[in-house]
Amino acid sequence: MQRERDSSGSHARKGNRPPGLRGKEIGLYYRNLSRQRKMGADPKEPEIRLGCKVSVPGGVLSRVKEFMVDYSRAPARENSDVDAQFQRQFRHLLSVNFEEFVAETKEKNEGVDFANPKLDEKLLQELENRQQGEKFRKRWAARQKLPTMKYAEEIVQAVRENQVILIVGSTGCGKTTQVPQILLDDAISRGCASSCRIVCTQPRRISAITIAEWVSYERCESLGNSVGYQIRLESRKARDRASITYCTTGVLLQQLQSDPLMHNLSVLILDEIHERSVETDLLMGLLKVILPHRPQLKVILMSATVREQDFCDYFENCPMFRIEGVMFPVQMLYLEDVLAKTNYQFQQSRDRRPKRDRPERRMMHEAMIGPYLRRIRHLYDSHVLEKLRLPESEGCEDIDFIADLVYYICENEPEGAILVFLPGYDKISQLYNLLERPKSPKGQRWQDQIAVFPLHSLMQSAEQQTVFRRPPAGKRKVIISTIIAETSVTIDDVVYVINSGRTKATNYDIETNIQTLEEVWVTKANTQQRKGRAGRVRPGVCYNLFTRAREDLMADIPTPEILRSKLESIILSLKLLHIDNPYRFLQTLINPPNPEAIKLGVDLLMRIEALDKSGILTPLGMHLAKLPIDPQMGKMILMSALFCCLDPITSAAAALSFKSPFYAPLGQESRVDEIKRRMARNMRSDHLLVHNTIIDYRESRYAHAERDFCYKNFLSSMTLQQLERMKNQFSELLYNYKFLTSSNCKDTASNMNSGKIPLLRAIIGAGLYPNMAHLRKSRQIKNRVRAIHTMATDDGRRVNFHPSSVNCGESGFDSDYFVYFQRQKSTDLYLLDSTMVFPMALIIFGDGVEAGVTQNTPYLCVAKTYYFKCNQETADVVLELRSNLEKLLLKKALYPAPIEENGYEKQLIKAIELLLSLDERLCEDISSDEIDDI
Ligand code: ADP
Ligand code: MG
């Protein structure tokens, strides 16, 4: 393959658009241009700018053709006729709409009767016997103290008389643990146990597990009898009838695929609906369709006191119960009060990237705090006022400050557990490490007198019951938690709450189509809930790490998650429920998302071929819908199974779904960058960097040197372990779906091609497509280490590599094309992660690939955006290869199976490998970038 560097790029491009456009205007110009093009309003086709040449040498082409001939020799039954037939069946499956789907299952369940008088009698007997027991009576007495139990009879009565009721109550009053038991015990004692099966949904895995464990303890049983839980990839099932199952909302949604009317349930309890997660909002919407078909099904909505009237209205004014809990008074302290008490000295702050945000942030902080400081200057010491001026004094930027506050409480306040609210995994593990392995003398003094528990769904300790128990004598319990301890789990002995005021939230900007997961300020409603956690056993204190001025700026309540999310995964999962028209269904939700956002989701799904041109689910789409990750990542791991490069690609997918294993302590960013670049081994890929890191980490473990390895390289071993767990989960799923012969991600057969870097790039590209960027120019300025890039994504927006990407400031790339997963908007638009890909990979795995001729030059184009010079013969072969690959993928989606090493299908894979491998050989003789003198 010959390749030419594209040097005229920026001039040609500028010639296309009117001069004088800046920043956002440029993006808008291209958007309008592409809209016009789509509508055919622009009679003058814009001039096509051709990129590098992708013609393949004749010898290689003949080899590729031979492979394809071998591939086409597959016996007929393995070939296209069969495909057509199966495709028809598949279409038929999908042609069933939701109403028909519901009618079908209704018919199937006609006459099914769970009643079983013998079982009823047995269970009644058993309950009566158990109630005699000493242990049971003691636990029963404790339960009686919960406010919810005082409403037991009323709840039973209301459920009997209504299909839907709403229970609102302060956290800890016993809703989640008692309501299901009240209903189950009522059914048993009325002698109709066998017709009772209760499911209670939980927003998170941890709460499903710990609550199920606690409830079976209250019932003096072990898990798996009348109580069980079910979360993704893990369950302890309760007995089939007369039982309570705590499951995550996602699991219930998935079960609707096979049982849309929930025929085997008698009671569905939707818990924590005030959190307004996507899943509970969807379920409420689905319930409105389901309920008329299932008059026997009872639904109980449960919520903390946040905008509960909205739910009541949504369900046609259903009856509402308010359960008042006992609450002791809680003293509210704000940052100014905390600083006055602890007298903490902040370290001189060091800059954090992106640097250009810095002055802006200081200005915004000053605008908030300045007027406030003038108002309170008579009330607080000047040293407190000075500290409040520092932006890093609020929130949880200075973890030492929080540790110091913990020690302050230990020293000055009477006994009682401390509950610290932090935004997420990173901050929790930072504080945990600081408290567990303190360096300061003060810390070392308290080290043995505290028992620290991180509470995060990905931390093992979270699933254990010890966090709920009283600490050993002489120790104070310190729980470091995300938002999960706000309402969904209750730890009784908390007296002190430290509220950093920060949380992680997704955000979605339709205009730029960017979704981010960012640390943001909580709302006033969150702070009220957090405050409440301190007043359960006696009067408590809530230390807010923000000022009253900050609180005034906070929103009242959180925005529903569905309004802050990209919708492609949701649309895809609705398709599995036979809900074909996402616009119509999503419009019925309690807060309908913007139709423009739905359109963007549908468009993406079409481009990655999860939906066909008319919006119908494809076989590939069906697999992607079933995988519990983002569809783009799902496609990436599916392809890695077919192309036998599982280990590296699952590493990339795991890190993209969770997080990078690197952390950058304040002021150490450039050292971390250096380490990353070294470990990236010049592969020009943040995604392959993750895999290199995992390989090195495994080696260090083998040598029992992992602690040292992680410490030296700024790696979090907790994150690395979690990534390994996720990789195994992915492999297990692919194995269950029959795409792999082994469930081990390190299996040899699944990794035959794991060493072929060009192939890995291509598979990463195949997954992240259509997120592409083109580097038009990179200038190496003399005396500067870093190159300056001129780059744009395919929507015409200018972007840069994020400073933390290994590609930032690099020069001498062998290809000008990149794929990425996330863009971030701060002062500039950044690609947070990127992998360099060769044009051939985009041509083979991209969409809208067409051949054509312009200015007497034949070309191949991808997505009508990137045009590559290409001779006719190459274009013909590549297009034929693409159509073969399309058929192969369809077949694999219909009959999932690994690609056999010596089979016909392997021939096609070999042809693709051969084409991709040309890029590698070519790398060596490409000249380095131009050098500009500026
Ligand atoms: P709500 O759902 O109304 O917020 P819960 O039913 O979750 O309240 O909790 C009621 C009480 O049950 C709590 O106050 C606490 O005492 C107890 N509890 C719940 N889960 C556990 C657990 N895993 N370990 C110990 N006690 C628990
Ligand atoms: Mg609860």
Side-chain angles (χ1 to χ4, degrees), residues 146 148 169-178 210-211 213-214 218 271-272 302 465 468-469 487-492 533 536:
L146 290 167
T148 300
S170 57
T171 305
C173 71
K175 297 183 295 298
T176 312
T177 53
Q178 306 310 313
T210 58
I211 288 175
E213 278 175 347
W214 179 250
E218 286 187 336
D271 204 357
E272 309 280 331
M302 302 207 292
Q465 289 286 324
F468 294 94
R469 301 209 184 102
T487 59
S488 56
V489 301
T490 299
I491 297 156
D492 263 342
R533 317 315 287 136
R536 305 241 337 124

mmCIF file of all heavy atoms in Angstrom, residues 146 148 169-178 210-211 213-214 218 271-272 302 465 468-469 487-492 533 536, ligand 1:
data_model
loop_
_atom_site.group_PDB
_atom_site.id
_atom_site.type_symbol
_atom_site.label_atom_id
_atom_site.label_comp_id
_atom_site.label_asym_id
_atom_site.label_seq_id
_atom_site.Cartn_x
_atom_site.Cartn_y
_atom_site.Cartn_z
ATOM 1 N N LEU A 146 -39.875 -0.045 64.692
ATOM 2 C CA LEU A 146 -39.761 0.759 63.465
ATOM 3 C C LEU A 146 -41.117 1.382 63.132
ATOM 4 O O LEU A 146 -42.151 0.710 63.183
ATOM 5 C CB LEU A 146 -39.307 -0.122 62.299
ATOM 6 C CG LEU A 146 -37.862 -0.607 62.399
ATOM 7 C CD1 LEU A 146 -37.598 -1.710 61.384
ATOM 8 C CD2 LEU A 146 -36.899 0.556 62.182
ATOM 9 N N THR A 148 -42.649 2.003 60.490
ATOM 10 C CA THR A 148 -43.443 1.349 59.448
ATOM 11 C C THR A 148 -44.375 0.283 60.027
ATOM 12 O O THR A 148 -45.493 0.092 59.544
ATOM 13 C CB THR A 148 -42.506 0.725 58.394
ATOM 14 O OG1 THR A 148 -41.732 1.764 57.831
ATOM 15 C CG2 THR A 148 -43.273 0.024 57.301
ATOM 16 N N GLY A 169 -41.664 7.992 53.275
ATOM 17 C CA GLY A 169 -41.247 8.022 54.668
ATOM 18 C C GLY A 169 -39.795 8.377 54.785
ATOM 19 O O GLY A 169 -39.017 8.155 53.861
ATOM 20 N N SER A 170 -39.438 8.923 55.937
ATOM 21 C CA SER A 170 -38.044 9.313 56.115
ATOM 22 C C SER A 170 -37.175 8.057 56.127
ATOM 23 O O SER A 170 -37.629 6.965 56.461
ATOM 24 C CB SER A 170 -37.879 10.093 57.399
ATOM 25 O OG SER A 170 -38.351 9.316 58.468
ATOM 26 N N THR A 171 -35.934 8.240 55.743
ATOM 27 C CA THR A 171 -35.028 7.110 55.599
ATOM 28 C C THR A 171 -34.790 6.428 56.947
ATOM 29 O O THR A 171 -34.625 7.095 57.953
ATOM 30 C CB THR A 171 -33.709 7.619 55.016
ATOM 31 O OG1 THR A 171 -34.015 8.302 53.814
ATOM 32 C CG2 THR A 171 -32.769 6.479 54.712
ATOM 33 N N GLY A 172 -34.806 5.124 56.920
ATOM 34 C CA GLY A 172 -34.568 4.361 58.146
ATOM 35 C C GLY A 172 -35.845 4.014 58.890
ATOM 36 O O GLY A 172 -35.816 3.338 59.904
ATOM 37 N N CYS A 173 -36.998 4.427 58.364
ATOM 38 C CA CYS A 173 -38.225 4.154 59.111
ATOM 39 C C CYS A 173 -38.731 2.728 58.881
ATOM 40 O O CYS A 173 -39.694 2.300 59.496
ATOM 41 C CB CYS A 173 -39.313 5.179 58.789
ATOM 42 S SG CYS A 173 -40.013 5.016 57.154
ATOM 43 N N GLY A 174 -38.076 1.992 58.007
ATOM 44 C CA GLY A 174 -38.405 0.578 57.866
ATOM 45 C C GLY A 174 -39.170 0.224 56.604
ATOM 46 O O GLY A 174 -39.722 -0.880 56.502
ATOM 47 N N LYS A 175 -39.186 1.074 55.618
ATOM 48 C CA LYS A 175 -39.922 0.775 54.396
ATOM 49 C C LYS A 175 -39.370 -0.467 53.703
ATOM 50 O O LYS A 175 -40.084 -1.442 53.468
ATOM 51 C CB LYS A 175 -39.834 1.949 53.395
ATOM 52 C CG LYS A 175 -40.448 3.238 53.880
ATOM 53 C CD LYS A 175 -40.395 4.318 52.818
ATOM 54 C CE LYS A 175 -38.993 4.765 52.439
ATOM 55 N NZ LYS A 175 -38.219 5.362 53.534
ATOM 56 N N THR A 176 -38.085 -0.424 53.372
ATOM 57 C CA THR A 176 -37.518 -1.476 52.536
ATOM 58 C C THR A 176 -37.501 -2.828 53.236
ATOM 59 O O THR A 176 -37.772 -3.856 52.629
ATOM 60 C CB THR A 176 -36.081 -1.084 52.133
ATOM 61 O OG1 THR A 176 -36.092 0.254 51.676
ATOM 62 C CG2 THR A 176 -35.560 -1.986 51.049
ATOM 63 N N THR A 177 -37.184 -2.829 54.516
ATOM 64 C CA THR A 177 -37.093 -4.116 55.212
ATOM 65 C C THR A 177 -38.460 -4.636 55.643
ATOM 66 O O THR A 177 -38.678 -5.848 55.649
ATOM 67 C CB THR A 177 -36.183 -4.006 56.457
ATOM 68 O OG1 THR A 177 -36.641 -2.916 57.257
ATOM 69 C CG2 THR A 177 -34.733 -3.777 56.060
ATOM 70 N N GLN A 178 -39.395 -3.750 55.994
ATOM 71 C CA GLN A 178 -40.636 -4.241 56.605
ATOM 72 C C GLN A 178 -41.807 -4.423 55.652
ATOM 73 O O GLN A 178 -42.568 -5.384 55.789
ATOM 74 C CB GLN A 178 -41.067 -3.324 57.766
ATOM 75 C CG GLN A 178 -39.992 -3.109 58.825
ATOM 76 C CD GLN A 178 -39.378 -4.398 59.327
ATOM 77 O OE1 GLN A 178 -40.098 -5.360 59.642
ATOM 78 N NE2 GLN A 178 -38.057 -4.469 59.388
ATOM 79 N N THR A 210 -27.257 -6.493 50.995
ATOM 80 C CA THR A 210 -27.249 -6.315 52.449
ATOM 81 C C THR A 210 -28.664 -6.337 53.023
ATOM 82 O O THR A 210 -28.885 -6.862 54.110
ATOM 83 C CB THR A 210 -26.558 -4.997 52.862
ATOM 84 O OG1 THR A 210 -27.226 -3.912 52.252
ATOM 85 C CG2 THR A 210 -25.102 -4.998 52.460
ATOM 86 N N ILE A 211 -29.612 -5.808 52.272
ATOM 87 C CA ILE A 211 -30.979 -5.798 52.803
ATOM 88 C C ILE A 211 -31.553 -7.213 52.827
ATOM 89 O O ILE A 211 -32.167 -7.632 53.803
ATOM 90 C CB ILE A 211 -31.864 -4.817 52.023
ATOM 91 C CG1 ILE A 211 -31.420 -3.401 52.414
ATOM 92 C CG2 ILE A 211 -33.326 -5.021 52.347
ATOM 93 C CD1 ILE A 211 -32.072 -2.298 51.689
ATOM 94 N N GLU A 213 -29.907 -9.891 53.194
ATOM 95 C CA GLU A 213 -29.278 -10.589 54.316
ATOM 96 C C GLU A 213 -29.906 -10.193 55.645
ATOM 97 O O GLU A 213 -30.172 -11.033 56.500
ATOM 98 C CB GLU A 213 -27.769 -10.308 54.336
ATOM 99 C CG GLU A 213 -27.047 -11.213 53.364
ATOM 100 C CD GLU A 213 -25.564 -10.914 53.243
ATOM 101 O OE1 GLU A 213 -25.119 -9.851 53.724
ATOM 102 O OE2 GLU A 213 -24.864 -11.753 52.656
ATOM 103 N N TRP A 214 -30.135 -8.912 55.790
ATOM 104 C CA TRP A 214 -30.708 -8.420 57.044
ATOM 105 C C TRP A 214 -32.123 -8.954 57.248
ATOM 106 O O TRP A 214 -32.501 -9.383 58.335
ATOM 107 C CB TRP A 214 -30.700 -6.898 57.063
ATOM 108 C CG TRP A 214 -31.299 -6.326 58.301
ATOM 109 C CD1 TRP A 214 -32.482 -5.661 58.415
ATOM 110 C CD2 TRP A 214 -30.744 -6.388 59.623
ATOM 111 N NE1 TRP A 214 -32.703 -5.290 59.712
ATOM 112 C CE2 TRP A 214 -31.655 -5.731 60.486
ATOM 113 C CE3 TRP A 214 -29.591 -6.932 60.162
ATOM 114 C CZ2 TRP A 214 -31.431 -5.605 61.854
ATOM 115 C CZ3 TRP A 214 -29.364 -6.798 61.523
ATOM 116 C CH2 TRP A 214 -30.279 -6.146 62.359
ATOM 117 N N GLU A 218 -33.701 -11.124 60.229
ATOM 118 C CA GLU A 218 -34.886 -10.789 61.027
ATOM 119 C C GLU A 218 -35.879 -11.943 61.069
ATOM 120 O O GLU A 218 -36.597 -12.124 62.042
ATOM 121 C CB GLU A 218 -35.583 -9.544 60.450
ATOM 122 C CG GLU A 218 -34.846 -8.253 60.731
ATOM 123 C CD GLU A 218 -35.626 -7.004 60.319
ATOM 124 O OE1 GLU A 218 -36.510 -7.083 59.440
ATOM 125 O OE2 GLU A 218 -35.343 -5.942 60.883
ATOM 126 N N ASP A 271 -38.631 0.560 44.825
ATOM 127 C CA ASP A 271 -38.080 1.301 45.957
ATOM 128 C C ASP A 271 -37.234 2.472 45.463
ATOM 129 O O ASP A 271 -36.713 2.441 44.345
ATOM 130 C CB ASP A 271 -37.224 0.345 46.791
ATOM 131 C CG ASP A 271 -37.099 0.812 48.230
ATOM 132 O OD1 ASP A 271 -37.625 1.890 48.555
ATOM 133 O OD2 ASP A 271 -36.477 0.085 49.026
ATOM 134 N N GLU A 272 -37.094 3.476 46.296
ATOM 135 C CA GLU A 272 -36.197 4.611 46.036
ATOM 136 C C GLU A 272 -36.521 5.318 44.727
ATOM 137 O O GLU A 272 -35.618 5.735 43.994
ATOM 138 C CB GLU A 272 -34.733 4.133 45.972
ATOM 139 C CG GLU A 272 -34.291 3.288 47.141
ATOM 140 C CD GLU A 272 -33.950 4.108 48.377
ATOM 141 O OE1 GLU A 272 -33.529 5.262 48.228
ATOM 142 O OE2 GLU A 272 -34.146 3.593 49.473
ATOM 143 N N MET A 302 -42.215 3.265 46.581
ATOM 144 C CA MET A 302 -41.677 3.783 47.837
ATOM 145 C C MET A 302 -40.650 4.879 47.554
ATOM 146 O O MET A 302 -39.833 4.773 46.650
ATOM 147 C CB MET A 302 -41.047 2.658 48.647
ATOM 148 C CG MET A 302 -42.053 1.550 48.949
ATOM 149 S SD MET A 302 -41.746 0.592 50.424
ATOM 150 C CE MET A 302 -40.269 -0.275 49.996
ATOM 151 N N GLN A 465 -21.479 -7.443 56.118
ATOM 152 C CA GLN A 465 -22.366 -6.901 57.131
ATOM 153 C C GLN A 465 -21.642 -6.128 58.228
ATOM 154 O O GLN A 465 -22.270 -5.385 58.972
ATOM 155 C CB GLN A 465 -23.175 -8.051 57.756
ATOM 156 C CG GLN A 465 -24.217 -8.631 56.809
ATOM 157 C CD GLN A 465 -25.404 -7.698 56.645
ATOM 158 O OE1 GLN A 465 -25.821 -7.034 57.577
ATOM 159 N NE2 GLN A 465 -25.934 -7.622 55.429
ATOM 160 N N PHE A 468 -22.397 -2.607 59.294
ATOM 161 C CA PHE A 468 -23.640 -2.297 60.005
ATOM 162 C C PHE A 468 -23.521 -2.555 61.504
ATOM 163 O O PHE A 468 -24.351 -2.132 62.276
ATOM 164 C CB PHE A 468 -24.787 -3.154 59.464
ATOM 165 C CG PHE A 468 -25.132 -2.814 58.046
ATOM 166 C CD1 PHE A 468 -24.576 -3.520 56.986
ATOM 167 C CD2 PHE A 468 -26.000 -1.774 57.760
ATOM 168 C CE1 PHE A 468 -24.890 -3.192 55.673
ATOM 169 C CE2 PHE A 468 -26.313 -1.454 56.457
ATOM 170 C CZ PHE A 468 -25.756 -2.165 55.415
ATOM 171 N N ARG A 469 -22.514 -3.357 61.872
ATOM 172 C CA ARG A 469 -22.444 -3.748 63.288
ATOM 173 C C ARG A 469 -21.759 -2.674 64.102
ATOM 174 O O ARG A 469 -21.056 -1.818 63.584
ATOM 175 C CB ARG A 469 -21.662 -5.062 63.420
ATOM 176 C CG ARG A 469 -22.305 -6.160 62.625
ATOM 177 C CD ARG A 469 -22.066 -7.513 63.215
ATOM 178 N NE ARG A 469 -22.658 -8.483 62.295
ATOM 179 C CZ ARG A 469 -21.949 -9.207 61.445
ATOM 180 N NH1 ARG A 469 -20.636 -9.154 61.453
ATOM 181 N NH2 ARG A 469 -22.556 -10.027 60.617
ATOM 182 N N THR A 487 -29.861 7.334 51.117
ATOM 183 C CA THR A 487 -31.178 6.785 51.452
ATOM 184 C C THR A 487 -31.266 5.271 51.334
ATOM 185 O O THR A 487 -32.105 4.668 51.959
ATOM 186 C CB THR A 487 -32.293 7.362 50.545
ATOM 187 O OG1 THR A 487 -31.980 7.045 49.197
ATOM 188 C CG2 THR A 487 -32.443 8.846 50.699
ATOM 189 N N SER A 488 -30.387 4.636 50.533
ATOM 190 C CA SER A 488 -30.698 3.220 50.294
ATOM 191 C C SER A 488 -30.105 2.245 51.300
ATOM 192 O O SER A 488 -30.592 1.137 51.398
ATOM 193 C CB SER A 488 -30.414 2.807 48.848
ATOM 194 O OG SER A 488 -29.109 3.069 48.483
ATOM 195 N N VAL A 489 -29.069 2.605 52.031
ATOM 196 C CA VAL A 489 -28.728 1.758 53.181
ATOM 197 C C VAL A 489 -28.638 2.626 54.435
ATOM 198 O O VAL A 489 -28.221 3.771 54.388
ATOM 199 C CB VAL A 489 -27.398 0.973 53.015
ATOM 200 C CG1 VAL A 489 -27.425 0.075 51.815
ATOM 201 C CG2 VAL A 489 -26.209 1.899 52.962
ATOM 202 N N THR A 490 -29.070 2.047 55.529
ATOM 203 C CA THR A 490 -29.090 2.787 56.788
ATOM 204 C C THR A 490 -28.116 2.168 57.759
ATOM 205 O O THR A 490 -28.211 0.980 58.046
ATOM 206 C CB THR A 490 -30.490 2.724 57.422
ATOM 207 O OG1 THR A 490 -31.394 3.319 56.518
ATOM 208 C CG2 THR A 490 -30.523 3.478 58.733
ATOM 209 N N ILE A 491 -27.196 2.976 58.241
ATOM 210 C CA ILE A 491 -26.302 2.496 59.288
ATOM 211 C C ILE A 491 -26.700 3.243 60.549
ATOM 212 O O ILE A 491 -26.644 4.471 60.604
ATOM 213 C CB ILE A 491 -24.836 2.738 58.905
ATOM 214 C CG1 ILE A 491 -24.545 1.908 57.654
ATOM 215 C CG2 ILE A 491 -23.909 2.345 60.036
ATOM 216 C CD1 ILE A 491 -23.415 2.421 56.838
ATOM 217 N N ASP A 492 -27.142 2.445 61.527
ATOM 218 C CA ASP A 492 -27.859 3.029 62.645
ATOM 219 C C ASP A 492 -27.077 3.957 63.549
ATOM 220 O O ASP A 492 -27.592 4.963 64.004
ATOM 221 C CB ASP A 492 -28.444 1.899 63.500
ATOM 222 C CG ASP A 492 -29.885 1.677 63.121
ATOM 223 O OD1 ASP A 492 -30.464 2.583 62.505
ATOM 224 O OD2 ASP A 492 -30.414 0.603 63.448
ATOM 225 N N ARG A 533 -29.126 11.532 58.307
ATOM 226 C CA ARG A 533 -28.411 10.322 58.694
ATOM 227 C C ARG A 533 -27.742 10.461 60.054
ATOM 228 O O ARG A 533 -27.378 9.477 60.663
ATOM 229 C CB ARG A 533 -27.334 9.931 57.663
ATOM 230 C CG ARG A 533 -27.703 10.029 56.215
ATOM 231 C CD ARG A 533 -29.053 9.478 55.868
ATOM 232 N NE ARG A 533 -29.141 8.048 55.899
ATOM 233 C CZ ARG A 533 -30.140 7.392 56.442
ATOM 234 N NH1 ARG A 533 -31.135 8.027 57.014
ATOM 235 N NH2 ARG A 533 -30.170 6.082 56.423
ATOM 236 N N ARG A 536 -30.215 9.536 63.955
ATOM 237 C CA ARG A 536 -31.000 8.312 64.134
ATOM 238 C C ARG A 536 -31.008 7.812 65.557
ATOM 239 O O ARG A 536 -32.003 7.269 66.016
ATOM 240 C CB ARG A 536 -30.491 7.210 63.206
ATOM 241 C CG ARG A 536 -30.468 7.617 61.764
ATOM 242 C CD ARG A 536 -31.347 6.786 60.878
ATOM 243 N NE ARG A 536 -31.643 5.476 61.379
ATOM 244 C CZ ARG A 536 -32.849 5.008 61.554
ATOM 245 N NH1 ARG A 536 -33.888 5.766 61.285
ATOM 246 N NH2 ARG A 536 -33.046 3.786 62.004
HETATM 247 P P1 ADP B 1 -36.046 2.624 54.934
HETATM 248 O O1 ADP B 1 -36.194 1.749 53.760
HETATM 249 O O2 ADP B 1 -37.337 3.199 55.409
HETATM 250 O O3 ADP B 1 -35.038 3.671 54.728
HETATM 251 P P2 ADP B 1 -34.938 0.267 56.093
HETATM 252 O O4 ADP B 1 -36.072 -0.692 56.027
HETATM 253 O O5 ADP B 1 -33.878 0.134 55.066
HETATM 254 O O6 ADP B 1 -35.517 1.727 56.151
HETATM 255 O O7 ADP B 1 -34.216 0.127 57.494
HETATM 256 C C1 ADP B 1 -34.916 -0.008 58.691
HETATM 257 C C2 ADP B 1 -33.945 -0.357 59.793
HETATM 258 O O8 ADP B 1 -33.418 -1.634 59.570
HETATM 259 C C3 ADP B 1 -32.739 0.542 59.882
HETATM 260 O O9 ADP B 1 -32.971 1.614 60.723
HETATM 261 C C4 ADP B 1 -31.700 -0.357 60.471
HETATM 262 O O10 ADP B 1 -31.798 -0.325 61.849
HETATM 263 C C5 ADP B 1 -32.105 -1.726 60.068
HETATM 264 N N1 ADP B 1 -31.238 -2.313 59.031
HETATM 265 C C6 ADP B 1 -31.449 -2.313 57.708
HETATM 266 N N2 ADP B 1 -30.474 -2.995 57.063
HETATM 267 C C7 ADP B 1 -29.619 -3.440 58.008
HETATM 268 C C8 ADP B 1 -28.425 -4.209 57.992
HETATM 269 N N3 ADP B 1 -27.926 -4.702 56.853
HETATM 270 N N4 ADP B 1 -27.815 -4.463 59.163
HETATM 271 C C9 ADP B 1 -28.323 -4.000 60.311
HETATM 272 N N5 ADP B 1 -29.447 -3.270 60.387
HETATM 273 C C10 ADP B 1 -30.105 -2.986 59.270
#
